[in-house]
């Protein structure tokens, strides 16, 4: 009887393995919400496990996921799949001292170990055959011994890559945006030489098996790279590849040099072929993918045009649009997908947060075909639909954001979601020999969507469309006093063009519209003594549109006012009409 039980157990496992790792299961009817090239299907393996970051898939199909925010659970998740090829067990594990926060961290399976990292350390567990949760003790491979407060370090992520000679590669991101003495201070020059480059702003090489290493045990492999979250070793050409997150806030820091549109699309997210000794040019230079060259940063004398010595630094193999946020990179080595994908690069674009007043962009998985260590064609949209919205105004509007990538033993591609923790398994079910341009056509069309295309400076400015909607309401409720040109009547009703009351504090302006204004006021140096009635009967949307209209017209050039900002002021305790004496 025991032998029969053992035989049946092995038979069950074999059938399960064939079903979920051999003959591919059916995808979900809606592909889990994803849009994929023809011939591909997607299956949601698990949903809502928490804010998932990077992931790894074992040979037996077990999935391991690193969480960003562990509390009140452990920082790692193990997922086994059942007969329907969806999760039948979700187990949280990983009781280890967290240094630097869980944060945007890495996870890889390498030589039978599960490697994972917090913001300030790299750990590993020896995987236990036949067990989902490793039974070995957690070992510390690397400790970030940066002497300052590690929680205040801007780019502390520790993604991981391994070569074929026993080395592990770990970025040490820059502590700041662009190496100023006081970080992110408008108009402040950068430090030259940049002292951060002595210990940060690059990639270090370590022994993958040595315990309790610190930075001094490693070797600086590359420098001049601000922040890396997406990184992988390409075994086809035996080379490290990484994508850099570009700097922020051109327009906020240098409004006289850069427009809001330039801030939305620049600088490029650079895709580097990382050879030992390379210098990407940070913080002195950035890559402009529109001009196709490295330009001098304004903190170092640049003006959006000066090239300086930009050509002397390592150029990217591809310059992606700004703020796409590349958060994982995977070179595909499987055989399940068509030959087109062999040894090519998948990139998970987590999505922008700072593109306003233009739509947020990214939020998709890209593919770059490769041949002989270089891109062999233009980049493609591989998987889209994560956000479940056509236009993403705020990052929080996105239902899902692609984060991690991993390949299963059968060649399936796994994608993790950083919002709720959904895991997709993407499979090819079509005719590999017939796969070509026709199957990619619909994905090429998606490059015109607002989350992927380069926005039109006028048509895609969301503030302008908001202002356009507010023009009609302005003429109905405001122009009688303030006039159609916003110049007021010169006596009782003050002008709106160039008014400090209009372009200044948002909350004060909203409060004036909601609660009215009485008594003498000074606008542009002139005294006015009229009465502005309450307009609290208008909806939050109406007020937001009106105020956006006046802040973007009549020679004004201020930011939009959103509906939620009006709601915040409206929901404060009621006040009497404002009096300015």
């Amino acid at each position: 009887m025991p032998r029969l039980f053992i035989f049946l157990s092995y038979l069950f496992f074999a059938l399960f393995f064939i079903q979920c790792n051999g003959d591919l299961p059916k995808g979900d009817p809606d592909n889990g919400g994803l849009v994929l090239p023809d011939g591909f299907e997607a299956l949601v393996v698990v949903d809502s496990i928490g804010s998932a970051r990077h992931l790894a898939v074992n040979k037996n199909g077990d999935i391991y996921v690193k969480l960003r925010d562990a509390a009140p659970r452990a920082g790692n998740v193990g997922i086994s799949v059942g007969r329907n090829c969806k999760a039948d067990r979700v187990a949280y594990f990983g009781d280890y001292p967290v240094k630097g926060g869980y944060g945007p961290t890495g996870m890889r399976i390498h030589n039978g170990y599960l490697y994972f990292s917090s913001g300030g350390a790299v750990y590993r567990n020896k995987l236990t055959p036949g067990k989902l949760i490793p039974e070995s003790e957690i070992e510390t491979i690397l400790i970030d011994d940066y002497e300052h407060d590690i929680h205040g370090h801007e780019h502390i992520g520790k993604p991981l890559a391994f070569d074929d000679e026993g080395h592990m590669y770990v970025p040490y991101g820059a502590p700041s945006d662009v190496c100023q003495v006081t970080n992110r201070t408008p108009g402040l020059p950068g430090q030259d030489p940049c002292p951060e480059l002595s210990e940060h702003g690059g990639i270090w090489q370590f022994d993958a098996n040595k315990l309790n290493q610190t930075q001094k045990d490693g070797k600086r492999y590359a420098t001049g790279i601000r922040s890396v979250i997406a990184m992988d070793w390409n075994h086809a050409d035996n080379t490290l590849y990484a994508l850099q997150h570009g700097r922020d806030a051109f327009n906020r820091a240098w409004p006289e040099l850069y427009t809001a549109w330039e801030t939305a699309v620049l600088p490029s997210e650079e895709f580097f072929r990382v050879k030992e000794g390379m210098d990407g040019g940070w913080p002195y230079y950035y890559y402009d993918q529109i001009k196709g060259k490295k330009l001098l940063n304004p903190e170092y004398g640049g003006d959006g045009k000066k090239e300086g010595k930009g050509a002397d630094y390592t150029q990217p193999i591809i310059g992606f649009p700004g703020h796409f946020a590349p958060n994982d990179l995977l070179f595909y080595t499987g055989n399940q997908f068509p030959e087109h994908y062999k040894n090519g690069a998948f990139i998970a674009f987590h999505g922008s947060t700072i593109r306003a007043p233009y739509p947020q962009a990214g939020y998709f998985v890209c593919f770059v075909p490769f041949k002989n260590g270089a891109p062999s064609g233009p980049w493609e949209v591989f998987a889209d639909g994560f956000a479940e919205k056509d236009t993403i105004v705020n990052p929080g509007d996105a239902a899902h954001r692609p984060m991690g990538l991993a390949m299963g033993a059968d060649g399936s591609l796994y994608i993790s979601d950083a919002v709720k923790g959904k895991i997709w398994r993407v499979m090819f079910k079509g005719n590999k020999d017939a796969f070509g341009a026709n199957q990619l056509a619909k994905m090429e069309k998606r490059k015109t969507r607002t989350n992927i295309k380069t926005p039109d400076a006028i048509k895609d400015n969301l503030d302008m469309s908001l202002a356009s909607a507010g023009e009609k309401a302005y003429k109905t409720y405001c122009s009688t006093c303030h006039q159609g040109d916003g110049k007021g009547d010169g006596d009782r009703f003050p002008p709106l063009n160039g008014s400090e009351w209009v372009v200044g504090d948002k909350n004060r302006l909203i409060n004036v519209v909601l609660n009215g204004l009485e008594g003498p006021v000074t606008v542009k140096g002139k005294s006015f003594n009229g009465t502005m009635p309450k307009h609290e009967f208008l909806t939050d949307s109406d007020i937001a549109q009106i105020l956006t209209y006046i802040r973007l017209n009549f020679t004004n050039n201020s930011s939009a006012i959103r509906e939620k900002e009006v709601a915040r002021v409206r929901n404060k305790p009621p006040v009497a009409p404002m009096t300015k004496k």
Side-chain angles (χ1 to χ4, degrees):
M1 191 67 178
R3 291 184 179 180
L4 177 60
F5 175 79
I6 293 172
F7 171 76
L8 291 174
S9 297
Y10 275 111
L11 179 61
F12 171 81
F13 177 79
L15 290 173
F16 154 73
F17 190 84
I18 291 172
Q19 181 180 0
C20 290
N21 295 279
D23 295 333
L24 298 175
K26 289 184 179 181
D28 292 333
D30 64 346
N31 286 328
L34 300 187
V35 180
L36 302 163
D38 290 345
F40 284 89
E41 296 179 8
L43 175 77
V44 175
V45 179
V46 68
D47 200 352
S48 302
I49 60 172
S51 181
R53 303 298 291 183
H54 292 99
L55 76 166
V57 182
N58 205 357
K59 293 179 180 179
N60 67 352
D62 288 344
I63 303 167
Y64 296 94
V65 185
K66 189 75 185 63
L67 296 182
R68 181 185 182 96
D69 302 307
R73 301 170 297 199
N76 300 338
V77 184
I79 303 165
S80 63
V81 295
R83 296 181 64 186
N84 62 355
C85 303
K86 292 178 177 279
D88 71 344
R89 184 186 175 199
V90 177
Y92 295 83
F93 71 99
D95 184 12
Y96 52 91
V98 177
K99 180 177 174 61
Y102 285 93
T105 53
M107 177 168 276
R108 301 279 190 191
I109 293 176
H110 177 68
N111 286 345
Y113 284 90
L114 180 67
Y115 283 77
F116 54 94
S117 57
S118 68
V122 178
Y123 309 94
R124 74 177 184 182
N125 259 150
K126 181 73 172 178
L127 291 171
T128 306
K131 300 285 187 179
L132 175 63
I133 305 304
E135 296 180 344
S136 61
E137 290 188 9
I138 293 176
E139 298 176 332
T140 301
I141 300 297
L142 174 66
I143 299 173
D144 188 337
D145 57 342
Y146 185 48
E147 63 182 4
H148 302 298
D149 179 10
I150 206 163
H151 295 279
H153 193 302
E154 282 201 351
H155 308 114
I156 196 174
K158 296 287 186 294
L160 309 169
F162 299 88
D163 64 18
D164 298 320
E165 299 177 355
H167 298 124
M168 176 180 72
Y169 297 84
V170 181
Y172 278 71
S176 69
D177 188 24
V178 66
C179 203
Q180 297 167 302
V181 173
T182 304
N183 191 25
R184 298 181 182 273
T185 302
L188 184 69
Q191 301 176 84
D192 189 10
C194 174
E196 295 177 16
L197 290 173
S198 63
E199 296 180 345
H200 295 90
I203 298 173
W204 269 250
Q205 181 193 72
F206 296 92
D207 185 331
N209 297 299
K210 183 179 178 182
L211 304 184
N212 299 313
Q213 298 173 87
T214 60
Q215 189 176 27
K216 68 178 182 297
D217 295 307
K219 176 175 68 174
R220 183 198 297 272
Y221 194 77
T223 192
I225 305 175
R226 172 181 176 270
S227 173
V228 170
I229 301 297
M231 184 172 68
D232 196 19
W233 188 267
N234 184 356
H235 297 276
D237 71 345
N238 203 35
T239 303
L240 181 67
Y241 288 78
L243 287 105
Q244 172 177 241
H245 283 229
R247 58 144 319 153
D248 301 328
F250 273 141
N251 181 248
R252 187 182 71 83
W254 304 91
E256 70 279 12
L257 299 176
Y258 296 89
T259 65
W261 179 83
E262 289 172 313
T263 298
V265 301
L266 298 173
S268 172
E269 311 282 51
E270 299 178 66
F271 190 6
F272 286 122
R273 188 171 190 258
V274 184
K275 303 297 289 186
E276 185 173 357
M278 74 151 276
D279 188 338
W282 182 90
Y284 311 110
Y285 292 87
Y286 67 93
Y287 189 74
D288 183 323
Q289 77 278 6
I290 299 171
K291 294 183 172 69
K293 60 183 70 174
K294 283 193 184 286
L295 301 177
L296 195 64
N297 259 317
E299 287 78 8
Y300 296 91
D303 59 0
K305 302 179 183 67
K306 293 179 183 177
E307 297 182 40
K309 296 181 179 180
D312 295 345
Y313 292 89
T314 300
Q315 307 296 306
I317 57 176
I318 295 179
F320 288 100
H323 318 300
F324 270 19
N327 273 14
D328 209 357
L329 169 66
L330 172 74
F331 282 94
Y332 185 80
T333 58
N335 296 314
Q336 182 193 129
F337 290 7
E339 187 65 23
H340 174 74
Y341 295 94
K342 189 73 171 184
N343 297 321
F346 286 102
I347 303 166
F349 287 119
H350 190 234
S352 65
T353 60
I354 57 172
R355 274 198 162 203
Y358 295 90
Q360 301 300 333
Y363 304 86
F364 72 99
V365 173
C366 162
F367 177 73
V368 180
F370 261 71
K371 188 175 183 179
N372 300 324
S376 57
W379 60 268
E380 305 165 4
V381 180
F382 178 75
D384 195 16
F386 295 92
E388 298 181 6
K389 282 185 175 292
D390 292 335
T391 298
I392 307 163
V393 178
N394 303 296
D397 297 338
H400 306 286
R401 302 177 71 177
M403 174 64 210
L405 302 169
M407 191 184 75
D410 69 345
S412 294
L413 178 69
Y414 292 78
I415 306 170
S416 65
D417 154 51
V419 179
K420 297 178 181 178
K422 180 178 284 190
I423 307 293
W424 293 266
R425 177 184 176 182
V426 180
M427 306 161 288
F428 185 72
K429 303 294 241 0
N431 185 338
K432 289 200 290 187
D433 295 333
F435 189 87
N438 289 338
Q439 286 68 39
L440 294 170
K442 73 176 182 181
M443 305 308 294
E444 184 64 24
K445 291 179 181 178
R446 294 190 78 83
K447 286 188 176 181
T448 63
R449 293 174 66 84
T450 58
N451 66 306
I452 299 174
K453 73 172 185 175
T454 296
D456 182 276
I458 304 299
K459 295 178 181 177
D460 293 317
N461 186 324
L462 298 177
D463 284 357
M464 295 305 293
S465 61
L466 186 64
S468 178
E471 182 177 10
K472 182 178 179 180
Y474 171 82
K475 290 179 177 178
T476 300
Y477 300 107
C478 313
S479 64
T480 301
C481 296
H482 296 288
Q483 307 304 306
D485 59 5
K487 294 181 179 179
D489 70 347
D491 182 17
R492 293 180 301 162
F493 307 117
L496 303 177
N497 61 317
S499 166
E500 60 271 36
W501 287 74
V502 171
V503 300
D505 181 74
K506 287 184 178 182
N507 289 341
R508 181 176 70 167
L509 180 60
I510 295 168
N511 201 29
V512 167
V513 175
L514 284 171
N515 299 303
L517 183 64
E518 295 179 359
V521 296
T522 300
V523 179
K524 297 176 67 174
K526 183 177 179 179
S527 180
F528 294 85
N529 193 9
T531 297
M532 167 128 177
K534 295 181 180 182
H535 284 68
E536 60 186 352
F537 59 88
L538 293 174
T539 68
D540 294 343
S541 177
D542 287 338
I543 293 174
Q545 291 171 359
I546 291 170
L547 295 184
T548 296
Y549 173 71
I550 68 173
R551 282 168 64 89
L552 287 172
N553 285 279
F554 315 135
T555 73
N556 298 326
N557 186 25
S558 292
S559 59
I561 288 180
R562 302 291 177 188
E563 188 174 336
K564 63 182 180 182
E565 294 175 301
V566 178
R568 270 200 303 267
V569 175
R570 187 193 294 271
N571 292 331
K572 287 182 178 179
V575 297
M578 292 183 65
T579 300
K580 182 71 176 178
K581 295 183 178 179

